[in-house]
Amino acid sequence: MRATLFHNPGAGDETHSAAQLAGPLRASGLALRLCEARGDSLRDGLRQPMDLAIIAGGDGTVGRIAPALAGRGVALAVLPCGTANNLARALGPWSSVEALAEGWRQAPRRTLNLAYAEGPFGRQPFLEAAGFGAFARAIDRADEKGLKGIEAGRAAFRAILANTAPQRVALRIDGAAWEGETLLLEVMNIPLFGPNLRLAPGAAPDDGALDLVLLPPERRGALLDWLDAPEREDAPVLLRRGREIRIDWPGGPVRLDDTPLTEEAMTVTLGLEERVLPTLVPQALERVA
């Protein structure tokens, strides 16, 4: 099988190398090409024929590469090397490169839906979530201060959420109208977002729907309390689900996955592409999310 290893040497704790990862994969019978996950190397690697794309990196690396593979008949495998690894957790993580080398032949395939956001900025893909408001600004704050790690990300989110003002939004979910005030608005394709926060426990990457997460102002205190131990129970948020969500956004930070997009007022339509990504997952699939 022709495989390309897209490798981000700067992901996570940076203790892995392309050579360390390539050895077991080649020994397993894969005809492996190495490709650094950025710049000209990435652009050239994506043009090459392949049957399997192995992405060794964090969520940002997966989010940059995977949409370019959708609809090409290429299978995807994710080796989580980042900090949060939300996508790998949602799909079913490979515990090591050795596990992937031993298991890729028998691995079942799971579908990863590709989502999109369409507005004045054109049509842009995303895999994890489109964020409006508090958390989009928390990402900006974390980047400005150079914060890293799960706890630092949660601290940035808490600081912004504690002081952000609610915004009134109007939206439609598969044609059904909703209007009200919210401190947070996330449109999620998987259960986890940001620093491993499980806001949409019922979401799945292959369920053919997007999960809308809202936070009415009266639930601010409850969510701040929840952030002290988010693994213990479901988040106290308002959840809705649909295949197409149209948002009249009054203005403020917007992001797709971990990339800031704009702060302009606009109307945005979010939905699911027809193109999907078949993803190799371990046979003993442990649903972490």
Side-chain angles (χ1 to χ4, degrees):
M1 178 181 283
R2 299 169 301 178
T4 299
L5 171 63
F6 295 96
H7 173 245
N8 179 4
D13 60 13
E14 305 181 22
T15 59
H16 53 279
S17 71
Q20 289 171 328
L21 296 174
L25 295 172
R26 285 182 171 139
S28 75
L30 290 172
L32 190 70
R33 178 188 294 110
L34 300 181
C35 176
E36 192 166 337
R38 58 189 175 190
D40 292 339
S41 177
L42 175 58
R43 286 187 287 271
D44 181 64
L46 288 171
R47 287 194 291 264
Q48 302 302 317
M50 69 189 89
D51 305 302
L52 172 64
I54 302 168
I55 302 178
D59 292 320
T61 304
V62 178
R64 286 195 307 273
I65 296 172
L69 302 171
R72 291 176 49 180
V74 177
L76 174 68
V78 179
L79 281 171
C81 300
T83 301
N85 300 310
N86 290 332
L87 281 163
R89 288 169 178 265
L91 291 165
W94 290 97
S95 59
S96 66
V97 66
E98 289 78 13
L100 176 59
E102 294 172 5
W104 67 264
R105 293 181 188 275
Q106 297 81 31
R109 298 192 178 197
R110 189 177 188 194
T111 298
L112 173 60
N113 292 134
L114 178 64
Y116 70 86
E118 189 169 15
F121 47 82
R123 187 179 176 111
Q124 301 287 338
F126 68 94
L127 292 176
E128 292 183 70
F132 300 75
F135 187 68
R137 193 180 299 280
I139 283 185
D140 291 343
R141 177 70 61 85
D143 289 343
E144 288 170 7
K145 294 186 176 181
L147 299 177
K148 293 183 179 180
I150 300 300
E151 294 305 319
R154 291 178 179 179
F157 181 46
R158 171 188 289 278
I160 294 295
L161 184 59
N163 297 290
T164 192
Q167 289 182 285
R168 189 165 192 85
V169 296
L171 52 87
R172 288 186 172 273
I173 309 166
D174 292 339
W178 184 93
E179 185 172 353
E181 288 192 327
T182 185
L183 297 165
L184 170 71
L185 198 164
E186 291 284 327
V187 179
M188 301 182 64
N189 193 33
I190 62 174
L192 293 158
F193 89 137
N196 286 162
L197 295 175
R198 190 165 63 104
L199 287 188
D206 55 358
D207 63 5
L210 293 170
D211 283 57
L212 175 70
V213 182
L214 301 159
L215 183 65
E218 62 271 17
R219 299 191 189 185
R220 186 201 307 260
L223 189 63
L224 288 169
D225 290 342
W226 175 80
L227 284 169
D228 291 333
E231 293 80 14
R232 292 183 183 175
E233 58 186 358
D234 291 346
V237 295
L238 184 64
L239 294 169
R240 297 289 186 270
R241 174 174 288 192
R243 187 169 179 86
E244 183 179 273
I245 299 170
R246 181 182 174 93
I247 300 171
D248 292 325
W249 180 241
V254 179
R255 73 169 216 293
L256 298 181
D257 290 338
D258 61 357
T259 302
L261 188 62
T262 181
E263 294 203 14
E264 298 178 359
M266 60 183 173
T267 297
V268 187
T269 300
L270 305 106
L272 295 174
E273 300 274 13
E274 293 298 326
R275 299 175 297 149
V276 297
L277 280 158
T279 306
L280 301 187
V281 297
Q283 278 190 309
L285 178 62
E286 180 181 359
R287 294 291 298 278
V288 177

